[in-house]
Amino acid sequence: MELEDQWWKGQLAADIYQALRYKELKLPSYKGQSPQLRFRRYFADLIAVISNHFRFCPAARHLAVYLLDLFMDRYDVTVQQLQVASSACLLLASKFEEKEDRVPKLETLNNLGCMSSINLVLTKQGLLHMELLLLKTFDWNLYLPTAAHFIEYYMSVGVQDGDLHDGWPMSSLEKTKLYMVKYADYFLEVSLQDHVFLWFVPSLVAAACVAASRLTLHLSPTWPSRLQRLTGYIWDNLVPCAEKLLMAHDSDVIEANMHKRQQDDQQQHHQTMFHSSGQPITVAQYLHLPSMQPGLVQNQRPPPYLSHSSSSLQGPKAPHHSSNQTISTPLDPKSRPYSVSLHYTCAAQCFDR
């Protein structure tokens, strides 16, 4: 751990960071004009499922989604072609970010459950053709920084001894660091779920993930001077992006609680299906149960930060997605008034000082 901390403080890490900051200034423009933009969340989830299966690093996953975003922004293709393109983007990203022996083979990809569930069989010729098209689109340059390339550098000073939790000294620095990593990873994944985050440069998104994590964990100061110096961003620079991240977190917490209550209600209703005498209730009695009253039960998608499951992925067949596709509508800052303050209203339940 000490060697890792020393590495992040070294000149080599600083040089790499400056090179990434310079490169992000020359990233391709993104217009968000794809006719298939409504399917973007689905394919981002598909890439996440496959990435988690092969345990790819976050940089590979984020690069794959970014390549797909740029490809969709430039080509009007069918959904079937997007299925092949998403796989090709992930393969190119893994070849660029991972070791050679970690790049999956064609047979392995076709044997994945999430691939068979959407009736997708990749062919060698089709995959090579798509990879060549992608490489030509990006002029054979995959050196494209994402938020995942900056987050570790920022997290090296994300939490330190002088920080306070709810105004009190931290009882365990190591425990706080673990929670910071957990929340930073969560907010980093949130940034993949909607294309609105592409309007911000990757380094700012990474900094906003760190700031949102500190807000959620009630750490103060929210944006200390050391993070300002390291990132080059002041608090006002981060507010627009951090607001969107925290709105998504707010929504996930609400949906997680509703999902839990729904499971508890289902378990309770299962128990009330029988009277104390052990006899099953009648249909008329069942229809008068609270769960059968109109408007009391709503279909809720599982919160996206819990896990990615291949069983929840189904190929898009129409513009309207079913609830089990874990595809949400884009974040809209106007949908609910929200202001970022030094004291975030939603408590982090898993963090106990």
Side-chain angles (χ1 to χ4, degrees), residues 15-50:
D15 291 343
I16 294 175
Y17 170 69
Q18 291 301 327
L20 290 171
R21 287 297 297 266
Y22 176 77
K23 183 63 179 178
E24 75 174 353
L25 298 176
K26 299 183 178 182
L27 287 175
S29 60
Y30 178 78
K31 299 178 181 178
Q33 60 186 6
S34 172
Q36 287 83 19
L37 199 58
R38 63 188 183 277
F39 297 128
R40 181 204 177 269
R41 172 66 187 272
Y42 165 77
F43 288 109
D45 283 346
L46 177 63
I47 289 175
V49 169
I50 301 176

Side-chain angles (χ1 to χ4, degrees), residues 61-62 147-148 151 155 179-194 197 205-218 241-253 305 331 338 344 346 348:
R61 180 164 62 253
H62 279 250
I151 193 77
M155 285 294 292
Y179 280 115
M180 265 295 291
V181 171
K182 174 183 176 181
Y183 273 98
D185 289 343
Y186 160 71
F187 283 117
L188 196 62
E189 293 307 304
V190 168
S191 70
L192 278 184
Q193 301 304 313
D194 200 286
F197 292 101
V205 175
C209 289
V210 176
S213 300
R214 290 182 62 86
L215 268 171
T216 309
L217 292 175
H218 297 184
C241 185
E243 268 193 336
K244 291 176 171 56
L245 293 170
L246 290 170
M247 286 173 61
H249 172 265
D250 233 4
S251 177
D252 282 345
V253 170
Y305 63 87
L331 295 174
Y338 191 94
Y344 184 50
C346 183

Side-chain angles (χ1 to χ4, degrees), residues 3 51 85 114 148 157 169 216 243 248 253 269 325:
L3 290 176
S51 298
C114 60
V157 295
T216 309
E243 268 193 336
V253 170
H269 299 155
Q325 285 180 307

Side-chain angles (χ1 to χ4, degrees), residues 23-256:
K23 183 63 179 178
E24 75 174 353
L25 298 176
K26 299 183 178 182
L27 287 175
S29 60
Y30 178 78
K31 299 178 181 178
Q33 60 186 6
S34 172
Q36 287 83 19
L37 199 58
R38 63 188 183 277
F39 297 128
R40 181 204 177 269
R41 172 66 187 272
Y42 165 77
F43 288 109
D45 283 346
L46 177 63
I47 289 175
V49 169
I50 301 176
S51 298
N52 291 338
H53 177 83
F54 292 108
R55 298 182 179 180
F56 288 158
C57 64
R61 180 164 62 253
H62 279 250
L63 178 59
V65 175
Y66 186 49
L67 292 176
L68 182 64
D69 281 327
L70 295 177
F71 177 77
M72 291 176 63
D73 206 40
R74 287 159 173 75
Y75 293 94
D76 184 4
V77 297
T78 65
V79 174
Q80 288 74 20
Q81 289 173 318
L82 282 178
Q83 292 174 342
V84 180
S86 61
S87 301
C89 288
L90 185 58
L91 281 177
L92 287 177
S94 64
K95 293 174 182 177
F96 191 78
E97 296 289 349
E98 299 283 353
K99 295 181 179 179
E100 184 178 358
D101 58 352
R102 293 184 58 83
V103 177
K105 305 298 182 183
L106 178 61
E107 296 78 9
T108 308
L109 282 175
N110 282 327
N111 289 332
L112 292 178
C114 60
M115 303 294 277
S116 58
S117 65
I118 59 178
N119 297 322
L120 176 61
V121 178
L122 300 171
T123 63
K124 184 177 181 180
Q125 182 178 2
L127 205 54
L128 286 175
H129 175 76
M130 185 60 69
E131 284 186 338
L132 284 174
L133 178 60
L134 287 166
L135 289 171
K136 291 179 180 178
T137 301
F138 306 122
D139 294 327
W140 295 78
N141 176 30
L142 299 184
Y143 179 30
L144 305 171
T146 67
H149 292 92
F150 293 95
I151 193 77
E152 285 188 275
Y153 188 64
Y154 295 162
M155 285 294 292
S156 64
V157 295
V159 180
Q160 288 188 353
D161 279 320
D163 295 337
L164 302 176
H165 173 242
D166 279 335
W168 293 85
M170 295 177 294
S171 59
S172 173
L173 177 62
E174 294 304 318
K175 180 180 178 181
T176 308
K177 285 184 176 181
L178 290 176
Y179 280 115
M180 265 295 291
V181 171
K182 174 183 176 181
Y183 273 98
D185 289 343
Y186 160 71
F187 283 117
L188 196 62
E189 293 307 304
V190 168
S191 70
L192 278 184
Q193 301 304 313
D194 200 286
H195 70 281
V196 298
F197 292 101
L198 291 171
W199 302 117
F200 306 100
V201 293
S203 61
L204 188 144
V205 175
C209 289
V210 176
S213 300
R214 290 182 62 86
L215 268 171
T216 309
L217 292 175
H218 297 184
L219 296 177
S220 59
T222 304
W223 194 243
S225 57
R226 66 177 185 273
L227 279 168
Q228 292 185 32
R229 291 192 300 268
L230 187 68
T231 65
Y233 294 114
I234 62 174
W235 174 247
D236 290 342
N237 300 141
L238 306 178
V239 169
C241 185
E243 268 193 336
K244 291 176 171 56
L245 293 170
L246 290 170
M247 286 173 61
H249 172 265
D250 233 4
S251 177
D252 282 345
V253 170
I254 293 173
E255 291 188 15

